[in-house]
Amino acid sequence: MNHDDCLFCKIAAGKIPSKKVYEDDEFYAFHDIRPAAPVHVLVIPRQHIEALSNCGLQEAPLLGRMMTLLPRLAAQLGVDYTGGNTGFRTVINTGPGGGQEVYHLHAHILGGPGPWLRMG
């Protein structure tokens, strides 16, 4: 897919509206339009990468920064792990068999109380 046709590239560029949670030069985070949990945020790199399986050693620094951003955003969203029964789930769907619907690498932050916790 060309990044000019990518839904998430358009969202990160401000061409399609979203409910922004965070942005910097490398990443953009926004609320999922079909939430599967009380808190459901997507975190995307601004760089167009179709799927996690397209990543190699050269993407390791970007992926590391993305993974350290996730708990910071979870804390901002009030779903971070602070002991007891607190915490959040992170998911990266990869390919059709992995449930990926938009072919731009993205991580889901899912949190909050409710029956969604019984997934998988």
Side-chain angles (χ1 to χ4, degrees), residues 58-107:
Q58 66 195 32
E59 287 78 27
L62 175 79
L63 293 172
R65 289 188 296 275
M66 184 174 179
M67 293 307 291
T68 60
L69 175 60
L70 298 174
R72 291 193 337 247
L73 293 179
Q76 176 185 319
L77 295 162
V79 296
D80 56 324
Y81 177 66
T82 57
N85 291 327
T86 63
F88 61 98
R89 176 176 289 169
T90 54
V91 177
I92 298 175
N93 298 324
T94 305
Q100 187 173 7
E101 294 178 5
V102 177
Y103 283 82
H104 183 120
L105 175 66
H106 57 285

mmCIF file of all heavy atoms in Angstrom, residues 58-107:
data_model
loop_
_atom_site.group_PDB
_atom_site.id
_atom_site.type_symbol
_atom_site.label_atom_id
_atom_site.label_comp_id
_atom_site.label_asym_id
_atom_site.label_seq_id
_atom_site.Cartn_x
_atom_site.Cartn_y
_atom_site.Cartn_z
ATOM 1 N N GLN A 58 16.763 -2.613 11.577
ATOM 2 C CA GLN A 58 16.812 -1.161 11.401
ATOM 3 C C GLN A 58 15.636 -0.451 12.068
ATOM 4 O O GLN A 58 15.730 0.716 12.425
ATOM 5 C CB GLN A 58 16.897 -0.785 9.923
ATOM 6 C CG GLN A 58 15.661 -1.156 9.118
ATOM 7 C CD GLN A 58 15.906 -1.114 7.628
ATOM 8 O OE1 GLN A 58 17.002 -1.390 7.156
ATOM 9 N NE2 GLN A 58 14.878 -0.762 6.875
ATOM 10 N N GLU A 59 14.524 -1.164 12.287
ATOM 11 C CA GLU A 59 13.370 -0.572 12.968
ATOM 12 C C GLU A 59 13.408 -0.774 14.477
ATOM 13 O O GLU A 59 12.543 -0.264 15.195
ATOM 14 C CB GLU A 59 12.055 -1.137 12.420
ATOM 15 C CG GLU A 59 11.674 -0.633 11.042
ATOM 16 C CD GLU A 59 12.441 -1.319 9.924
ATOM 17 O OE1 GLU A 59 12.872 -2.483 10.090
ATOM 18 O OE2 GLU A 59 12.638 -0.668 8.881
ATOM 19 N N ALA A 60 14.394 -1.505 14.983
ATOM 20 C CA ALA A 60 14.462 -1.805 16.417
ATOM 21 C C ALA A 60 14.443 -0.547 17.288
ATOM 22 O O ALA A 60 13.708 -0.511 18.279
ATOM 23 C CB ALA A 60 15.677 -2.674 16.728
ATOM 24 N N PRO A 61 15.199 0.499 16.966
ATOM 25 C CA PRO A 61 15.134 1.699 17.812
ATOM 26 C C PRO A 61 13.735 2.336 17.828
ATOM 27 O O PRO A 61 13.245 2.731 18.881
ATOM 28 C CB PRO A 61 16.170 2.643 17.189
ATOM 29 C CG PRO A 61 17.134 1.734 16.483
ATOM 30 C CD PRO A 61 16.280 0.609 15.963
ATOM 31 N N LEU A 62 13.081 2.388 16.684
ATOM 32 C CA LEU A 62 11.726 2.939 16.607
ATOM 33 C C LEU A 62 10.761 2.090 17.436
ATOM 34 O O LEU A 62 9.959 2.620 18.215
ATOM 35 C CB LEU A 62 11.252 2.994 15.148
ATOM 36 C CG LEU A 62 9.807 3.435 14.944
ATOM 37 C CD1 LEU A 62 9.710 4.947 15.052
ATOM 38 C CD2 LEU A 62 9.278 2.952 13.611
ATOM 39 N N LEU A 63 10.858 0.764 17.296
ATOM 40 C CA LEU A 63 9.981 -0.128 18.046
ATOM 41 C C LEU A 63 10.233 -0.013 19.544
ATOM 42 O O LEU A 63 9.290 -0.053 20.340
ATOM 43 C CB LEU A 63 10.158 -1.571 17.584
ATOM 44 C CG LEU A 63 9.705 -1.870 16.154
ATOM 45 C CD1 LEU A 63 10.109 -3.285 15.761
ATOM 46 C CD2 LEU A 63 8.215 -1.666 16.000
ATOM 47 N N GLY A 64 11.477 0.151 19.926
ATOM 48 C CA GLY A 64 11.792 0.336 21.343
ATOM 49 C C GLY A 64 11.179 1.601 21.900
ATOM 50 O O GLY A 64 10.599 1.597 22.997
ATOM 51 N N ARG A 65 11.278 2.682 21.146
ATOM 52 C CA ARG A 65 10.662 3.944 21.592
ATOM 53 C C ARG A 65 9.136 3.814 21.645
ATOM 54 O O ARG A 65 8.495 4.339 22.552
ATOM 55 C CB ARG A 65 11.102 5.094 20.697
ATOM 56 C CG ARG A 65 12.562 5.475 20.905
ATOM 57 C CD ARG A 65 12.957 6.737 20.165
ATOM 58 N NE ARG A 65 12.876 6.621 18.712
ATOM 59 C CZ ARG A 65 13.841 6.134 17.926
ATOM 60 N NH1 ARG A 65 14.962 5.693 18.459
ATOM 61 N NH2 ARG A 65 13.689 6.091 16.621
ATOM 62 N N MET A 66 8.573 3.083 20.699
ATOM 63 C CA MET A 66 7.123 2.879 20.694
ATOM 64 C C MET A 66 6.690 2.081 21.928
ATOM 65 O O MET A 66 5.711 2.436 22.597
ATOM 66 C CB MET A 66 6.711 2.152 19.412
ATOM 67 C CG MET A 66 5.243 1.960 19.214
ATOM 68 S SD MET A 66 4.979 1.232 17.563
ATOM 69 C CE MET A 66 3.211 1.056 17.567
ATOM 70 N N MET A 67 7.441 1.029 22.241
ATOM 71 C CA MET A 67 7.082 0.190 23.382
ATOM 72 C C MET A 67 7.232 0.940 24.704
ATOM 73 O O MET A 67 6.481 0.668 25.644
ATOM 74 C CB MET A 67 7.935 -1.084 23.396
ATOM 75 C CG MET A 67 7.645 -2.018 22.223
ATOM 76 S SD MET A 67 5.898 -2.465 22.020
ATOM 77 C CE MET A 67 5.665 -3.480 23.459
ATOM 78 N N THR A 68 8.152 1.874 24.804
ATOM 79 C CA THR A 68 8.283 2.643 26.044
ATOM 80 C C THR A 68 7.267 3.773 26.115
ATOM 81 O O THR A 68 6.959 4.259 27.204
ATOM 82 C CB THR A 68 9.707 3.194 26.236
ATOM 83 O OG1 THR A 68 10.044 4.050 25.150
ATOM 84 C CG2 THR A 68 10.718 2.066 26.346
ATOM 85 N N LEU A 69 6.722 4.171 24.970
ATOM 86 C CA LEU A 69 5.657 5.175 24.950
ATOM 87 C C LEU A 69 4.341 4.583 25.469
ATOM 88 O O LEU A 69 3.569 5.268 26.150
ATOM 89 C CB LEU A 69 5.468 5.718 23.529
ATOM 90 C CG LEU A 69 4.329 6.697 23.294
ATOM 91 C CD1 LEU A 69 4.480 7.948 24.161
ATOM 92 C CD2 LEU A 69 4.248 7.069 21.812
ATOM 93 N N LEU A 70 4.082 3.312 25.190
ATOM 94 C CA LEU A 70 2.804 2.692 25.552
ATOM 95 C C LEU A 70 2.488 2.805 27.045
ATOM 96 O O LEU A 70 1.386 3.250 27.402
ATOM 97 C CB LEU A 70 2.763 1.236 25.085
ATOM 98 C CG LEU A 70 2.863 1.027 23.568
ATOM 99 C CD1 LEU A 70 2.959 -0.460 23.252
ATOM 100 C CD2 LEU A 70 1.715 1.668 22.835
ATOM 101 N N PRO A 71 3.387 2.445 27.962
ATOM 102 C CA PRO A 71 3.036 2.584 29.384
ATOM 103 C C PRO A 71 2.897 4.039 29.832
ATOM 104 O O PRO A 71 2.099 4.334 30.725
ATOM 105 C CB PRO A 71 4.168 1.866 30.125
ATOM 106 C CG PRO A 71 5.274 1.740 29.153
ATOM 107 C CD PRO A 71 4.658 1.758 27.786
ATOM 108 N N ARG A 72 3.628 4.939 29.207
ATOM 109 C CA ARG A 72 3.459 6.363 29.551
ATOM 110 C C ARG A 72 2.065 6.834 29.169
ATOM 111 O O ARG A 72 1.408 7.563 29.928
ATOM 112 C CB ARG A 72 4.524 7.214 28.852
ATOM 113 C CG ARG A 72 5.913 6.986 29.388
ATOM 114 C CD ARG A 72 6.947 8.011 28.945
ATOM 115 N NE ARG A 72 6.689 8.739 27.738
ATOM 116 C CZ ARG A 72 7.403 8.621 26.617
ATOM 117 N NH1 ARG A 72 8.412 7.771 26.539
ATOM 118 N NH2 ARG A 72 7.106 9.352 25.567
ATOM 119 N N LEU A 73 1.593 6.418 27.995
ATOM 120 C CA LEU A 73 0.242 6.795 27.575
ATOM 121 C C LEU A 73 -0.806 6.101 28.437
ATOM 122 O O LEU A 73 -1.829 6.704 28.779
ATOM 123 C CB LEU A 73 0.026 6.480 26.096
ATOM 124 C CG LEU A 73 0.851 7.311 25.125
ATOM 125 C CD1 LEU A 73 0.571 6.891 23.684
ATOM 126 C CD2 LEU A 73 0.587 8.797 25.310
ATOM 127 N N ALA A 74 -0.570 4.842 28.804
ATOM 128 C CA ALA A 74 -1.500 4.135 29.683
ATOM 129 C C ALA A 74 -1.645 4.891 30.999
ATOM 130 O O ALA A 74 -2.756 5.035 31.525
ATOM 131 C CB ALA A 74 -1.030 2.701 29.922
ATOM 132 N N ALA A 75 -0.544 5.403 31.535
ATOM 133 C CA ALA A 75 -0.604 6.184 32.777
ATOM 134 C C ALA A 75 -1.410 7.460 32.566
ATOM 135 O O ALA A 75 -2.258 7.821 33.390
ATOM 136 C CB ALA A 75 0.806 6.515 33.262
ATOM 137 N N GLN A 76 -1.179 8.128 31.444
ATOM 138 C CA GLN A 76 -1.927 9.354 31.116
ATOM 139 C C GLN A 76 -3.419 9.066 31.004
ATOM 140 O O GLN A 76 -4.250 9.889 31.386
ATOM 141 C CB GLN A 76 -1.386 9.923 29.801
ATOM 142 C CG GLN A 76 -2.119 11.129 29.270
ATOM 143 C CD GLN A 76 -1.594 11.538 27.896
ATOM 144 O OE1 GLN A 76 -0.399 11.528 27.627
ATOM 145 N NE2 GLN A 76 -2.506 11.893 27.014
ATOM 146 N N LEU A 77 -3.752 7.875 30.509
ATOM 147 C CA LEU A 77 -5.147 7.471 30.303
ATOM 148 C C LEU A 77 -5.777 6.871 31.559
ATOM 149 O O LEU A 77 -6.954 6.540 31.577
ATOM 150 C CB LEU A 77 -5.235 6.472 29.147
ATOM 151 C CG LEU A 77 -4.848 7.026 27.775
ATOM 152 C CD1 LEU A 77 -4.532 5.889 26.813
ATOM 153 C CD2 LEU A 77 -5.952 7.919 27.232
ATOM 154 N N GLY A 78 -4.974 6.694 32.608
ATOM 155 C CA GLY A 78 -5.488 6.177 33.869
ATOM 156 C C GLY A 78 -5.632 4.673 33.945
ATOM 157 O O GLY A 78 -6.383 4.172 34.779
ATOM 158 N N VAL A 79 -4.929 3.946 33.091
ATOM 159 C CA VAL A 79 -5.045 2.490 33.094
ATOM 160 C C VAL A 79 -3.702 1.799 33.324
ATOM 161 O O VAL A 79 -3.568 0.603 33.073
ATOM 162 C CB VAL A 79 -5.711 1.960 31.795
ATOM 163 C CG1 VAL A 79 -7.140 2.448 31.681
ATOM 164 C CG2 VAL A 79 -4.900 2.332 30.567
ATOM 165 N N ASP A 80 -2.720 2.529 33.821
ATOM 166 C CA ASP A 80 -1.394 1.943 34.022
ATOM 167 C C ASP A 80 -1.408 0.929 35.162
ATOM 168 O O ASP A 80 -2.350 0.861 35.943
ATOM 169 C CB ASP A 80 -0.343 3.012 34.271
ATOM 170 C CG ASP A 80 -0.678 3.921 35.444
ATOM 171 O OD1 ASP A 80 -1.860 4.218 35.647
ATOM 172 O OD2 ASP A 80 0.261 4.352 36.142
ATOM 173 N N TYR A 81 -0.354 0.135 35.228
ATOM 174 C CA TYR A 81 -0.225 -0.851 36.292
ATOM 175 C C TYR A 81 0.379 -0.181 37.517
ATOM 176 O O TYR A 81 1.507 0.290 37.493
ATOM 177 C CB TYR A 81 0.645 -2.028 35.843
ATOM 178 C CG TYR A 81 0.848 -3.033 36.945
ATOM 179 C CD1 TYR A 81 -0.234 -3.758 37.434
ATOM 180 C CD2 TYR A 81 2.098 -3.228 37.511
ATOM 181 C CE1 TYR A 81 -0.068 -4.667 38.460
ATOM 182 C CE2 TYR A 81 2.271 -4.144 38.531
ATOM 183 C CZ TYR A 81 1.188 -4.855 39.003
ATOM 184 O OH TYR A 81 1.351 -5.762 40.020
ATOM 185 N N THR A 82 -0.403 -0.151 38.585
ATOM 186 C CA THR A 82 0.043 0.468 39.835
ATOM 187 C C THR A 82 -0.041 -0.512 40.990
ATOM 188 O O THR A 82 -0.012 -0.120 42.141
ATOM 189 C CB THR A 82 -0.786 1.730 40.148
ATOM 190 O OG1 THR A 82 -2.169 1.367 40.213
ATOM 191 C CG2 THR A 82 -0.592 2.799 39.091
ATOM 192 N N GLY A 83 -0.171 -1.796 40.683
ATOM 193 C CA GLY A 83 -0.302 -2.834 41.705
ATOM 194 C C GLY A 83 -1.722 -3.366 41.757
ATOM 195 O O GLY A 83 -2.633 -2.840 41.114
ATOM 196 N N GLY A 84 -1.901 -4.411 42.504
ATOM 197 C CA GLY A 84 -3.242 -4.990 42.636
ATOM 198 C C GLY A 84 -3.789 -5.464 41.308
ATOM 199 O O GLY A 84 -3.089 -6.082 40.519
ATOM 200 N N ASN A 85 -5.048 -5.142 41.033
ATOM 201 C CA ASN A 85 -5.729 -5.573 39.809
ATOM 202 C C ASN A 85 -5.670 -4.543 38.690
ATOM 203 O O ASN A 85 -6.465 -4.615 37.760
ATOM 204 C CB ASN A 85 -7.194 -5.917 40.121
ATOM 205 C CG ASN A 85 -7.310 -7.161 40.960
ATOM 206 O OD1 ASN A 85 -6.504 -8.083 40.838
ATOM 207 N ND2 ASN A 85 -8.302 -7.193 41.834
ATOM 208 N N THR A 86 -4.766 -3.594 38.776
ATOM 209 C CA THR A 86 -4.676 -2.565 37.745
ATOM 210 C C THR A 86 -3.856 -3.081 36.562
ATOM 211 O O THR A 86 -3.183 -4.102 36.654
ATOM 212 C CB THR A 86 -4.019 -1.287 38.303
ATOM 213 O OG1 THR A 86 -2.668 -1.598 38.687
ATOM 214 C CG2 THR A 86 -4.794 -0.745 39.493
ATOM 215 N N GLY A 87 -3.912 -2.365 35.460
ATOM 216 C CA GLY A 87 -3.098 -2.715 34.309
ATOM 217 C C GLY A 87 -3.826 -2.502 32.995
ATOM 218 O O GLY A 87 -4.967 -2.058 32.951
ATOM 219 N N PHE A 88 -3.132 -2.823 31.923
ATOM 220 C CA PHE A 88 -3.654 -2.627 30.570
ATOM 221 C C PHE A 88 -3.106 -3.730 29.680
ATOM 222 O O PHE A 88 -2.182 -4.456 30.042
ATOM 223 C CB PHE A 88 -3.271 -1.247 30.032
ATOM 224 C CG PHE A 88 -1.790 -1.014 29.922
ATOM 225 C CD1 PHE A 88 -1.134 -1.168 28.707
ATOM 226 C CD2 PHE A 88 -1.039 -0.655 31.031
ATOM 227 C CE1 PHE A 88 0.232 -0.963 28.608
ATOM 228 C CE2 PHE A 88 0.329 -0.441 30.939
ATOM 229 C CZ PHE A 88 0.972 -0.602 29.719
ATOM 230 N N ARG A 89 -3.692 -3.862 28.508
ATOM 231 C CA ARG A 89 -3.251 -4.834 27.513
ATOM 232 C C ARG A 89 -2.722 -4.063 26.304
ATOM 233 O O ARG A 89 -3.283 -3.047 25.922
ATOM 234 C CB ARG A 89 -4.430 -5.719 27.103
ATOM 235 C CG ARG A 89 -4.085 -6.699 25.993
ATOM 236 C CD ARG A 89 -5.254 -7.597 25.700
ATOM 237 N NE ARG A 89 -5.390 -8.511 26.843
ATOM 238 C CZ ARG A 89 -6.437 -9.299 27.030
ATOM 239 N NH1 ARG A 89 -7.444 -9.286 26.203
ATOM 240 N NH2 ARG A 89 -6.469 -10.100 28.071
ATOM 241 N N THR A 90 -1.655 -4.582 25.720
ATOM 242 C CA THR A 90 -1.178 -4.051 24.448
ATOM 243 C C THR A 90 -1.269 -5.157 23.413
ATOM 244 O O THR A 90 -0.987 -6.325 23.718
ATOM 245 C CB THR A 90 0.285 -3.553 24.539
ATOM 246 O OG1 THR A 90 1.102 -4.587 25.049
ATOM 247 C CG2 THR A 90 0.386 -2.331 25.412
ATOM 248 N N VAL A 91 -1.686 -4.782 22.206
ATOM 249 C CA VAL A 91 -1.869 -5.753 21.130
ATOM 250 C C VAL A 91 -1.327 -5.146 19.849
ATOM 251 O O VAL A 91 -1.602 -3.974 19.546
ATOM 252 C CB VAL A 91 -3.371 -6.097 20.940
ATOM 253 C CG1 VAL A 91 -3.568 -7.039 19.769
ATOM 254 C CG2 VAL A 91 -3.968 -6.670 22.205
ATOM 255 N N ILE A 92 -0.589 -5.949 19.094
ATOM 256 C CA ILE A 92 -0.187 -5.575 17.734
ATOM 257 C C ILE A 92 -0.656 -6.698 16.824
ATOM 258 O O ILE A 92 -0.101 -7.798 16.852
ATOM 259 C CB ILE A 92 1.337 -5.373 17.607
ATOM 260 C CG1 ILE A 92 1.811 -4.237 18.510
ATOM 261 C CG2 ILE A 92 1.703 -5.090 16.138
ATOM 262 C CD1 ILE A 92 3.320 -4.039 18.536
ATOM 263 N N ASN A 93 -1.705 -6.444 16.068
ATOM 264 C CA ASN A 93 -2.216 -7.429 15.123
ATOM 265 C C ASN A 93 -1.339 -7.385 13.873
ATOM 266 O O ASN A 93 -1.003 -6.300 13.388
ATOM 267 C CB ASN A 93 -3.666 -7.122 14.746
ATOM 268 C CG ASN A 93 -4.590 -7.171 15.943
ATOM 269 O OD1 ASN A 93 -4.413 -7.983 16.838
ATOM 270 N ND2 ASN A 93 -5.576 -6.297 15.968
ATOM 271 N N THR A 94 -1.009 -8.560 13.340
ATOM 272 C CA THR A 94 -0.116 -8.618 12.179
ATOM 273 C C THR A 94 -0.700 -9.552 11.132
ATOM 274 O O THR A 94 -0.854 -10.753 11.384
ATOM 275 C CB THR A 94 1.290 -9.087 12.602
ATOM 276 O OG1 THR A 94 1.767 -8.234 13.642
ATOM 277 C CG2 THR A 94 2.258 -9.024 11.435
ATOM 278 N N GLY A 95 -1.021 -9.004 9.969
ATOM 279 C CA GLY A 95 -1.547 -9.777 8.856
ATOM 280 C C GLY A 95 -2.989 -10.191 9.054
ATOM 281 O O GLY A 95 -3.558 -10.038 10.138
ATOM 282 N N PRO A 96 -3.601 -10.716 8.010
ATOM 283 C CA PRO A 96 -5.009 -11.092 8.091
ATOM 284 C C PRO A 96 -5.277 -12.181 9.124
ATOM 285 O O PRO A 96 -6.278 -12.137 9.827
ATOM 286 C CB PRO A 96 -5.353 -11.567 6.676
ATOM 287 C CG PRO A 96 -4.069 -11.766 5.970
ATOM 288 C CD PRO A 96 -3.036 -10.953 6.674
ATOM 289 N N GLY A 97 -4.374 -13.134 9.265
ATOM 290 C CA GLY A 97 -4.559 -14.185 10.256
ATOM 291 C C GLY A 97 -4.415 -13.681 11.677
ATOM 292 O O GLY A 97 -4.911 -14.302 12.616
ATOM 293 N N GLY A 98 -3.766 -12.534 11.831
ATOM 294 C CA GLY A 98 -3.589 -11.926 13.144
ATOM 295 C C GLY A 98 -4.610 -10.839 13.435
ATOM 296 O O GLY A 98 -4.515 -10.165 14.460
ATOM 297 N N GLY A 99 -5.560 -10.656 12.532
ATOM 298 C CA GLY A 99 -6.624 -9.681 12.755
ATOM 299 C C GLY A 99 -6.303 -8.262 12.341
ATOM 300 O O GLY A 99 -7.054 -7.340 12.661
ATOM 301 N N GLN A 100 -5.214 -8.045 11.605
ATOM 302 C CA GLN A 100 -4.880 -6.688 11.181
ATOM 303 C C GLN A 100 -5.864 -6.222 10.115
ATOM 304 O O GLN A 100 -6.113 -6.918 9.136
ATOM 305 C CB GLN A 100 -3.445 -6.625 10.627
ATOM 306 C CG GLN A 100 -2.983 -5.225 10.320
ATOM 307 C CD GLN A 100 -1.507 -5.158 9.927
ATOM 308 O OE1 GLN A 100 -0.844 -6.181 9.765
ATOM 309 N NE2 GLN A 100 -1.007 -3.955 9.780
ATOM 310 N N GLU A 101 -6.448 -5.041 10.326
ATOM 311 C CA GLU A 101 -7.422 -4.485 9.385
ATOM 312 C C GLU A 101 -6.851 -3.307 8.610
ATOM 313 O O GLU A 101 -7.187 -3.113 7.449
ATOM 314 C CB GLU A 101 -8.681 -4.054 10.133
ATOM 315 C CG GLU A 101 -9.436 -5.223 10.748
ATOM 316 C CD GLU A 101 -10.657 -4.792 11.532
ATOM 317 O OE1 GLU A 101 -11.000 -3.599 11.549
ATOM 318 O OE2 GLU A 101 -11.274 -5.674 12.154
ATOM 319 N N VAL A 102 -6.010 -2.506 9.250
ATOM 320 C CA VAL A 102 -5.378 -1.370 8.583
ATOM 321 C C VAL A 102 -3.897 -1.682 8.483
ATOM 322 O O VAL A 102 -3.245 -1.954 9.495
ATOM 323 C CB VAL A 102 -5.610 -0.053 9.358
ATOM 324 C CG1 VAL A 102 -4.884 1.103 8.683
ATOM 325 C CG2 VAL A 102 -7.105 0.247 9.479
ATOM 326 N N TYR A 103 -3.370 -1.651 7.265
ATOM 327 C CA TYR A 103 -1.988 -2.034 7.041
ATOM 328 C C TYR A 103 -1.037 -0.853 7.218
ATOM 329 O O TYR A 103 -0.449 -0.339 6.286
ATOM 330 C CB TYR A 103 -1.849 -2.757 5.695
ATOM 331 C CG TYR A 103 -2.359 -4.160 5.866
ATOM 332 C CD1 TYR A 103 -3.729 -4.432 5.802
ATOM 333 C CD2 TYR A 103 -1.497 -5.184 6.198
ATOM 334 C CE1 TYR A 103 -4.204 -5.717 6.038
ATOM 335 C CE2 TYR A 103 -1.969 -6.472 6.436
ATOM 336 C CZ TYR A 103 -3.318 -6.723 6.353
ATOM 337 O OH TYR A 103 -3.790 -7.988 6.609
ATOM 338 N N HIS A 104 -0.962 -0.455 8.478
ATOM 339 C CA HIS A 104 0.009 0.516 8.990
ATOM 340 C C HIS A 104 0.254 0.044 10.416
ATOM 341 O O HIS A 104 -0.697 -0.093 11.195
ATOM 342 C CB HIS A 104 -0.586 1.932 8.981
ATOM 343 C CG HIS A 104 0.362 2.999 9.434
ATOM 344 N ND1 HIS A 104 0.717 4.034 8.617
ATOM 345 C CD2 HIS A 104 1.007 3.187 10.607
ATOM 346 C CE1 HIS A 104 1.550 4.841 9.278
ATOM 347 N NE2 HIS A 104 1.740 4.338 10.501
ATOM 348 N N LEU A 105 1.499 -0.263 10.734
ATOM 349 C CA LEU A 105 1.838 -0.769 12.057
ATOM 350 C C LEU A 105 1.173 0.070 13.130
ATOM 351 O O LEU A 105 1.229 1.300 13.087
ATOM 352 C CB LEU A 105 3.360 -0.736 12.239
ATOM 353 C CG LEU A 105 3.886 -1.127 13.615
ATOM 354 C CD1 LEU A 105 3.596 -2.593 13.909
ATOM 355 C CD2 LEU A 105 5.369 -0.835 13.703
ATOM 356 N N HIS A 106 0.519 -0.583 14.084
ATOM 357 C CA HIS A 106 -0.099 0.125 15.196
ATOM 358 C C HIS A 106 -0.231 -0.793 16.398
ATOM 359 O O HIS A 106 -0.390 -2.000 16.255
ATOM 360 C CB HIS A 106 -1.471 0.707 14.819
ATOM 361 C CG HIS A 106 -2.465 -0.283 14.314
ATOM 362 N ND1 HIS A 106 -2.409 -0.838 13.054
ATOM 363 C CD2 HIS A 106 -3.556 -0.826 14.906
ATOM 364 C CE1 HIS A 106 -3.431 -1.666 12.887
ATOM 365 N NE2 HIS A 106 -4.138 -1.687 14.007
ATOM 366 N N ALA A 107 -0.129 -0.192 17.563
ATOM 367 C CA ALA A 107 -0.317 -0.918 18.817
ATOM 368 C C ALA A 107 -1.596 -0.425 19.468
ATOM 369 O O ALA A 107 -1.877 0.772 19.471
ATOM 370 C CB ALA A 107 0.872 -0.692 19.748
#
